[in-house]
Amino acid sequence: MTSNEILLTSETSGQLWNVCVWDMESGTSVVTFKGGTSAPHGVGVLDQQYLVSASPTKPVLSLWPLHKRDTTCSKMVCPGNVTALEITEDGAYIVAAITEKIYVWQVCTGRLLSILSRHYQTITCLKSSSGLIVSGGEDSLVIVWSLAKALCEQLEHRAPVTPERVWSSHSLPVTDLHLGVGGHLSRVVSSSLDQTCRLFDVNSGELLCTFVFEVGICSVVLDPAEFRLFAGSSSGSIYAVNLFETPVRRERHITDKKEDQSCQRFDGHEKQVTCLCVTMDGCQLVSGSHDHKVKIWDIFSGQCLRTIEHKGPVTNAKLTMAPPGIVNPDVKYKLPLQPLQRVFHADSQEEGGHASLNILLHGENDEPEKEEDILKPDSDIQMDFKHRSKDIENMDTNESVTLDIPVPVMTTIVSNSSELTKLKNANKELFHFAVSTLLQNKDK
């Protein structure tokens, strides 16, 4: 590995792998994960430890450890086919779009904590950042949700969660989204087949600017400084638009004319550009297309630095920091994974009248676990065995006690005492049998 970032790509054929990890500097394959294919907007990284992929044809999520030595795949069943997948920045929640609803699961327990419903057609893309979830769908709507409200209000009041913002400016399906930094002060960019990209302000809810292109837009992204907007078109061209052009206008028409100094165009793909992402330093752009190619561009010069060939149309291209398991194969992951529940968690809490929320604290248990030899005389299990044996022997000692108790009550006490003695003896035999069997297996 020569770079601090890795590139994750997937394509529709699945001939060689489902998802491949690439070195950004050399363009070589680092590790591959096999088994099925990934849906568009269906690849995510869970807490830098696991790779998550949503199948386009089955209601299943596939998970692989992001590790060079361990590429075993585990499956999690969902209520339906996942059309878009997103994982929160802290790795605590999995957010998945299934048809027109959004499901939120807690990772460490697998509980289904919230179901968000406002779209009336299939959701095509999801983004999550700073406690917000943004969704776009075939109904041309762009909706902003509060993750805190989704987790608290629905569990307490059992009422549908109200979105923070609902924008209906597009006239055709939304194809991609980008959510900036800043939480409720951030900006959202959406792309659509109606040949426009729209820039919204989350705090005020206003439409800040509309970018009108000559072709439909299939993907969109902003650089980390939110200085440029990159739009991938259905014709294969990528447009880089300067957001700080003066004079400021509410609507800007982006053309292919060379005289337009506020827009730069990257040409190289032959078919529609399905996915875009920018490196953390804002110097390189990664694009994936239906022409079976992933290209890495230098943003400032507009030159194509590298082309990575694929066997089929590219569905996902995602940049993330290099996980510890890729850099150091000896790293062991400790993030607990539970099967995803398909029943809303609040339904199972009606009898108790309360709901509990488990929180996974990062960094508390980073020390490596010490393996203990249970055959040593001073080991915990041996000491516990000795103490239990002494307690059981003391319990068997009968002490004569004279009490002034009525005869019927005394008869009941004697009967219960005999039953208790039988249970103690059975428990003692069971304990001895279990420990002896465990030690025999250890010797083998």
Side-chain angles (χ1 to χ4, degrees):
M1 287 290 297
T2 59
S3 174
N4 293 328
E5 290 183 85
I6 59 172
L7 173 64
L8 307 174
T9 64
S10 67
E11 37 91 3
T12 58
S13 70
Q15 295 180 10
L16 302 178
W17 30 258
N18 185 335
V19 180
C20 183
V21 178
W22 305 88
D23 187 350
M24 280 289 295
E25 294 294 333
S26 62
T28 58
S29 173
V30 179
V31 62
T32 59
F33 302 94
K34 300 180 180 180
T37 57
S38 298
H41 303 103
V43 172
V45 178
L46 180 57
D47 197 33
Q48 294 294 305
Q49 299 187 32
Y50 292 92
L51 174 66
V52 187
S53 167
S55 172
T57 58
K58 300 178 182 178
V60 171
L61 291 181
S62 301
L63 291 91
W64 298 270
L66 275 171
H67 206 281
K68 275 190 173 182
R69 295 180 179 175
D70 184 10
T71 57
T72 56
C73 178
S74 58
K75 305 286 186 179
M76 290 190 179
V77 181
C78 300
N81 291 358
V82 176
T83 57
L85 177 69
E86 186 70 9
I87 298 172
T88 56
E89 295 171 318
D90 56 1
Y93 303 99
I94 294 177
V95 184
I98 300 177
T99 60
E100 71 279 358
K101 295 182 180 180
I102 301 174
Y103 291 72
V104 181
W105 284 280
Q106 188 179 33
V107 173
C108 60
T109 62
R111 293 173 178 170
L112 178 58
L113 299 182
S114 183
I115 302 177
L116 308 177
S117 179
R118 179 63 172 82
H119 289 274
Y120 58 88
Q121 289 188 27
T122 302
I123 298 173
T124 56
C125 45
L126 283 174
K127 294 296 178 182
S128 174
S129 177
S130 304
L132 294 179
I133 300 172
V134 183
S135 59
E138 295 179 355
D139 52 9
S140 308
L141 296 180
V142 177
I143 302 178
V144 180
W145 310 84
S146 170
L147 180 59
K149 185 184 293 186
L151 297 177
C152 298
E153 289 191 0
Q154 198 164 19
L155 286 173
E156 293 179 0
H157 307 295
R158 301 298 304 278
V161 179
T162 304
E164 299 294 307
R165 301 292 178 192
V166 178
W167 294 305
S168 56
S169 303
H170 289 290
S171 57
L172 288 176
V174 177
T175 55
D176 200 6
L177 293 168
H178 177 86
L179 175 59
V181 296
H184 284 78
L185 299 178
S186 60
R187 296 183 293 180
V188 174
V189 181
S190 61
S191 64
S192 173
L193 295 178
D194 62 5
Q195 303 182 4
T196 64
C197 287
R198 299 181 186 268
L199 179 65
F200 302 96
D201 180 68
V202 175
N203 186 36
S204 63
E206 294 183 2
L207 173 60
L208 300 179
C209 186
T210 300
F211 303 91
V212 182
F213 298 86
E214 297 180 345
V215 291
I217 303 301
C218 302
S219 55
V220 68
V221 71
L222 297 181
D223 63 354
E226 299 187 6
F227 184 80
R228 293 181 179 86
L229 178 146
F230 300 93
S233 68
S234 57
S235 63
S237 298
I238 303 173
Y239 299 90
V241 182
N242 182 6
L243 297 180
F244 291 88
E245 183 209 16
T246 55
V248 178
R249 291 170 290 178
R250 284 298 184 100
E251 182 172 312
R252 294 173 57 182
H253 291 262
I254 309 300
T255 64
D256 294 336
K257 297 179 180 179
K258 296 183 179 180
E259 302 86 53
D260 191 355
Q261 299 297 328
S262 64
C263 177
Q264 182 182 7
R265 197 176 73 176
F266 301 95
D267 293 321
H269 288 293
E270 299 174 359
K271 296 183 179 180
Q272 67 181 37
V273 180
T274 55
C275 39
L276 292 172
C277 53
V278 182
T279 55
M280 293 187 64
D281 57 7
C283 295
Q284 294 180 355
L285 172 71
V286 180
S287 61
S289 171
H290 276 188
D291 62 2
H292 306 187
K293 297 177 183 178
V294 170
K295 290 182 177 292
I296 302 176
W297 308 82
D298 180 78
I299 291 178
F300 301 103
S301 65
Q303 298 296 318
C304 179
L305 303 178
R306 191 169 291 106
T307 299
I308 303 175
E309 298 286 345
H310 288 65
K311 295 294 183 180
V314 179
T315 54
N316 292 278
K318 189 180 185 70
L319 286 169
T320 184
M321 295 298 296
I326 299 294
V327 179
N328 182 12
D330 296 328
V331 173
K332 295 182 179 180
Y333 293 151
K334 297 183 179 180
L335 180 66
L337 293 177
Q338 300 295 332
L340 302 181
Q341 298 178 0
R342 286 180 281 180
V343 179
F344 185 44
H345 178 59
D347 294 338
S348 61
Q349 298 291 335
E350 289 182 350
E351 296 181 0
H354 67 278
S356 61
L357 185 65
N358 292 11
I359 300 176
L360 177 64
L361 298 178
H362 295 268
E364 295 293 332
N365 300 315
D366 291 340
E367 297 83 5
E369 297 180 358
K370 297 181 180 180
E371 296 184 359
E372 182 181 19
D373 188 0
I374 63 174
L375 296 179
K376 291 183 178 180
D378 58 345
S379 64
D380 291 340
I381 190 170
Q382 292 286 356
M383 297 298 294
D384 184 66
F385 174 72
K386 293 178 182 179
H387 287 298
R388 284 178 179 267
S389 300
K390 290 181 180 179
D391 293 340
I392 293 175
E393 291 176 359
N394 294 334
M395 291 179 184
D396 293 338
T397 304
N398 295 327
E399 297 180 357
S400 59
V401 180
T402 303
L403 297 175
D404 186 11
I405 302 177
V407 176
V409 179
M410 178 63 73
T411 304
T412 304
I413 293 176
V414 172
S415 176
N416 292 339
S417 299
S418 61
E419 293 293 333
L420 181 61
T421 303
K422 293 179 181 179
L423 292 175
K424 289 179 180 178
N425 293 333
N427 183 46
K428 180 179 179 180
E429 295 176 0
L430 181 62
F431 182 77
H432 280 279
F433 174 76
V435 173
S436 61
T437 304
L438 179 63
L439 294 178
Q440 290 176 2
N441 293 335
K442 180 68 176 180
D443 292 337
K444 293 179 182 179

